[in-house]
Amino acid sequence: MWQAIRRWFDPRELRSVGSTPDYRFSLANERTFLAWLRTGLALVAGGLAAAQFLPPLPLRHLREVIAVALLLLGGAVAVRAVDHWARTERAIRLGEELPVSRFPAVLALAVGLGALLLVAAVLARAVGGGR
Amino acid sequence: MSGGRDPGLQPERTRLAWRRTALALTVIMVLTVRLAVTGDAVGAVLAGVAVLGWGAALAVCWRRASGTRPIASGGRSLPLVALATAGFAALGALLVVRGLW
């Protein structure tokens, strides 16, 4: 694991494998990384906003749990983005198949499930007369 | 500058992506400072950490966004901004937990 982290920060090692591809492929890979990073930043912003702008919820500390979950998810997205970028760059240089990942599906399911739970909470509150 | 021969304007699009990322980082910094400032010294220090982290991340984005020549691979810029994002996530979680006391 430490080797992988060291590899992210060492561009020389990345450039030592395979052959230099058309720079447009590298730039496209870089933009994909940035799009993932902004996804992570949006999750972090959501967590920070939940902590500050949600009113206290009926369940004790539920607001804080939601905030920390979003923050940790955002951080995980950022770390995974740089790992996927490095593995993709390596595959492009070596002319291999691009790495596949279950992460987007897992993230989509997690966000969808969270949204459903919130819809259920809002409906329960509306039916219950609100507190 | 290769923008003239690249119909896809790839370097320009990449620079704009870095600028959007810098904007998102700025929003995060403002939200973090707002959460950190509670009127005590610890809050001020944590807000200072957020501002310093933002400044460092913005310098990385700026350097990468203002290059006129596409660089084969982004080098250290990419892991550094990812590190800044993860750092903001950790700092935010710390601030939320701190708010419970």
Side-chain angles (χ1 to χ4, degrees):
Chain A
M1 188 189 139
W2 287 114
Q3 205 175 8
I5 293 174
R6 199 174 48 78
R7 202 173 284 161
W8 298 340
F9 285 95
D10 190 359
R12 276 169 313 171
E13 185 170 334
L14 200 58
R15 282 181 196 147
S16 69
V17 297
S19 56
T20 304
D22 186 337
Y23 74 88
R24 286 175 291 185
F25 297 154
S26 292
L27 290 179
N29 189 22
E30 188 168 325
R31 286 197 301 279
T32 306
F33 160 78
L34 289 173
W36 271 111
L37 194 75
R38 286 194 299 276
T39 304
L41 284 168
L43 287 165
V44 171
L48 291 170
Q52 300 178 60
F53 301 118
L54 270 187
L57 298 174
L59 264 174
R60 207 167 125 80
H61 298 330
L62 179 59
R63 180 178 58 178
E64 283 73 21
V65 169
I66 292 174
V68 170
L70 284 169
L71 285 163
L72 293 183
L73 195 58
V77 167
V79 172
R80 184 265 174 192
V82 72
D83 181 55
H84 195 75
W85 164 78
R87 289 196 295 137
T88 303
E89 194 70 19
R90 201 181 158 80
I92 292 174
R93 296 188 70 95
L94 291 171
E96 293 172 351
E97 294 271 321
L98 295 186
V100 292
S101 170
R102 287 196 186 87
F103 187 84
V106 172
L107 180 67
L109 280 179
V111 170
L113 204 67
L116 273 181
L117 281 175
L118 287 179
V119 167
V122 169
L123 285 179
R125 219 166 156 179
V127 171
R131 262 166 292 183
Chain B
M1 173 81 213
S2 56
R5 70 169 171 83
D6 181 359
L9 298 175
Q10 304 269 345
E12 284 79 358
R13 284 160 64 189
T14 308
R15 276 200 286 278
L16 287 172
W18 277 102
R19 295 205 175 132
R20 286 198 296 277
T21 307
L23 273 176
L25 277 164
T26 306
V27 173
I28 297 288
M29 183 275 287
V30 170
L31 283 172
T32 306
V33 167
R34 193 180 179 281
L35 189 62
V37 171
T38 46
D40 58 351
V42 179
V45 168
L46 292 174
V49 169
V51 173
L52 283 179
W54 168 77
L58 219 68
V60 171
C61 289
W62 189 262
R63 202 189 55 188
R64 193 78 185 116
S66 58
T68 49
R69 187 173 60 90
I71 303 165
S73 57
R76 287 195 186 83
S77 307
L78 288 82
L80 282 177
V81 283
L83 189 72
T85 304
F88 270 111
L91 181 60
L94 179 73
L95 288 170
V96 170
V97 172
R98 177 174 174 255
L100 290 175
W101 265 270

